[in-house]
Amino acid sequence: MTAARRIARNALALTGSQGITLALNFIAWAHIARTLAPDGFGVLGFGTALLAYFAVVVQLGFDAVVVREAARAPERVPELAGSLMALRLLLCGAALVVYAAVVLALPRPASVHAALLVQSLSLVALATRLGWVFQAAERLGALAARDAATAVLNAAAVLLLVRGHNQVVLAAALTAGVPLIGNAWLWVAYHRTFGRLRLRASRAAWMALLRPALPLAASAFLIEIYLRLDQVMLEFLYSTASVGLYSAAVRLIVLAQVFGSIAYGVYFPTLAAAVGDADRMRATGRAAARILLPIGLCMAVAGPWLAHDALAFAFGSAYTAAAPAMAVLLVNVGVVYVNMTVGTPLMAWDLQKPYMWAVLGGAVVNVILNVTLIPPYGLVGAAVATLASETTVCIGLSLIYRRATGELPFGEGLRAVPIAAAATLPAALGATLGWPVVVSILASVAAAAAAAWPLGLIDPSLLRRAPAS
């Protein structure tokens, strides 16, 4: 099989799996949100936000390091797997102890403590996953099957078992524990291919993994600050219900960003292959911008009109109080797409350290604005802080991108203005006239596509015309 066909097969498998996984996970979380109401859903949202910081300790950027090493020397997979698994289990044990101490110190009821402690199973799932082995071996079909099967199992369990508003602990156990089953399947697959996984406690091997992983972990931690700090602060400054409302909005925002994730996977190899060739770097950057900027601008301009009805449709009328915050977060999605446009190439072009400094600036702004805005403005203050932080990162990434290429690819964004205008019209009409939100979304997508076609921004040959890798 040629490299091109292998990449196409893997991309198709992952795209299909990602679509199934996102849809089923969203259905499961929507059911949980409706069943538990904002108070119960807020417990899970707070736990997820708090655990994100401990997850950085368990992950520490190791996957990127071992995928690189295993791809270069496949015979080292058993050695790398044994060393990484031993180190991750050690880090996971330490993280669990500290997390449990933090949770038990919180002035919350025993039922909340129980739910938060059960959610820590997600750290065990992170520590024991072996997905990087199959990624390095380019057997992404196995990962796709695992992800889809796990999503099916999780959705079925949630829909069948979570039936009452007091089942917060059960919901936590299912959402955090089901991924362990998927991990077990990969362990069986690993055993069949490589034999028994033997843990290796070697200081030299661990340091070889830690040194390149720590800068990646630092960036990940900074990103988690401005992605999660607002939910943690809402818990302490407002209420668990406010966290539930905000978490519902964030769940929808994740869906709005999935198109960028797919484009990232499509363009990253071509971007990486262009490093060192200024003309190719500029050309591939513009090609990615042709996809990302129109989508982002449509999200930022048309999306806020749909915020209220989307929350009501997905989670129920109890969550529509989060609509003003979600409208701001949808504007922020537009900034996120700009950051993908100028940030993804920097990662592909080995500019991780400058990228980290840009993210640090956003994290500092986020902390300052969360402290300033959340006490008086609540959910909207948290959303505005996120928007300002992402904008700060955008400025930094744009400066780095221009220094690397001599230009910015934002000319493609100007071409996207009529597309965004076309998408906004049915969204505004739908919100004003009371159309079902699904109808409004489909009408907006159709209008955007109709506007994009004559501008040449929808072109089936776009990927074939992108500079060859």
Side-chain angles (χ1 to χ4, degrees):
M1 180 182 295
T2 65
R5 291 187 62 187
R6 183 172 63 252
I7 292 171
R9 183 191 65 181
N10 287 333
L12 181 62
L14 284 181
T15 300
S17 168
Q18 188 175 35
I20 294 171
T21 300
L22 280 172
L24 291 174
N25 284 343
F26 184 78
I27 290 170
W29 280 109
H31 175 76
I32 290 172
R34 287 173 174 269
T35 304
L36 300 184
D39 282 321
F41 192 56
V43 173
L44 300 184
F46 173 64
T48 300
L50 186 60
L51 278 165
Y53 298 104
F54 292 89
V56 173
V57 175
V58 176
Q59 297 184 93
L60 276 186
F62 287 133
D63 281 6
V65 175
V66 291
V67 166
R68 182 192 67 197
E69 297 300 320
R72 292 173 179 174
E75 70 279 2
R76 293 190 61 204
V77 166
E79 169 200 341
L80 291 168
S83 297
L84 179 58
M85 188 58 61
L87 180 55
R88 269 190 165 159
L89 289 175
L90 181 64
L91 292 171
C92 180
L96 287 171
V97 171
V98 177
Y99 175 77
V102 170
V103 167
L104 294 175
L106 295 174
R108 295 292 185 270
S111 59
V112 173
H113 287 166
L116 295 178
L117 291 174
V118 167
Q119 277 188 286
S120 67
L121 285 172
S122 63
L123 296 180
V124 181
L126 283 175
T128 57
R129 67 184 184 184
L130 286 169
W132 66 267
V133 174
F134 299 89
Q135 184 181 355
E138 295 189 272
R139 293 176 55 190
L140 301 186
L143 293 180
R146 186 279 307 267
D147 291 344
T150 301
V152 170
L153 180 60
N154 179 63
V158 165
L159 293 174
L160 290 173
L161 300 178
V162 180
R163 312 299 297 177
H165 70 277
N166 60 342
Q167 293 182 305
V168 179
V169 175
L170 176 60
L174 293 175
T175 55
V178 167
L180 288 169
I181 300 175
N183 285 356
W185 184 86
L186 286 183
W187 275 66
V188 172
Y190 176 93
H191 182 78
R192 290 175 176 172
T193 305
F194 301 100
R196 180 182 175 186
L197 195 155
R198 301 179 184 276
L199 300 182
R200 291 168 47 88
S202 167
R203 182 177 180 275
W206 289 354
M207 291 305 298
L209 293 173
L210 282 168
R211 277 190 292 269
L214 287 177
L216 297 173
S219 293
F221 185 79
L222 293 171
I223 290 171
E224 291 299 342
I225 286 178
Y226 67 80
L227 289 181
R228 308 289 186 177
L229 181 61
D230 43 17
Q231 295 176 65
V232 174
M233 291 187 64
L234 285 170
E235 170 70 21
F236 291 107
L237 297 178
Y238 275 81
S239 66
T240 302
S242 68
V243 180
L245 295 172
Y246 199 77
S247 297
V250 169
R251 291 283 170 185
L252 286 174
I253 294 303
V254 170
L255 288 180
Q257 294 175 187
V258 69
F259 303 106
S261 299
I262 293 173
Y264 173 96
V266 170
Y267 277 103
F268 193 88
T270 302
L271 288 164
V275 66
D277 184 332
D279 289 336
R280 290 184 66 195
M281 289 167 67
R282 287 190 286 268
T284 52
R286 288 193 295 268
R290 289 169 65 87
I291 297 295
L292 292 169
L293 293 180
I295 297 174
L297 192 58
C298 288
M299 294 286 184
V301 179
W305 289 95
L306 305 171
H308 180 280
D309 292 343
L311 282 166
F313 174 79
F315 300 106
S317 59
Y319 290 86
T320 55
M326 183 174 166
V328 176
L329 290 175
L330 281 165
V331 175
N332 183 65
V333 169
V335 182
V336 170
Y337 274 87
V338 177
N339 285 349
M340 290 180 183
T341 301
V342 292
T344 300
L346 299 183
M347 299 297 288
W349 299 335
D350 300 323
L351 294 171
Q352 297 95 326
K353 287 187 178 179
Y355 183 100
M356 183 186 71
W357 287 113
V359 173
L360 175 61
V364 171
V365 169
N366 185 262
V367 171
I368 294 172
L369 291 184
N370 273 325
V371 172
T372 304
L373 298 178
I374 288 180
Y377 301 113
L379 275 66
V380 173
V384 170
T386 299
L387 174 59
S389 304
E390 202 74 51
T391 302
T392 301
V393 174
C394 182
I395 294 171
L397 294 178
S398 298
L399 292 173
I400 300 166
Y401 186 100
R402 179 163 185 164
R403 187 162 61 243
T405 65
E407 69 171 31
L408 287 172
F410 296 155
E412 302 294 343
L414 296 176
R415 299 178 65 191
V417 171
I419 302 173
T424 302
L425 180 59
L429 283 175
T432 303
L433 301 178
W435 297 353
V437 69
V438 175
V439 173
S440 297
I441 292 173
L442 292 176
S444 292
V445 172
W453 192 275
L455 292 174
L457 295 183
I458 294 182
D459 185 348
S461 66
L462 182 60
L463 293 181
R464 292 195 298 270
R465 290 191 288 106
S469 59

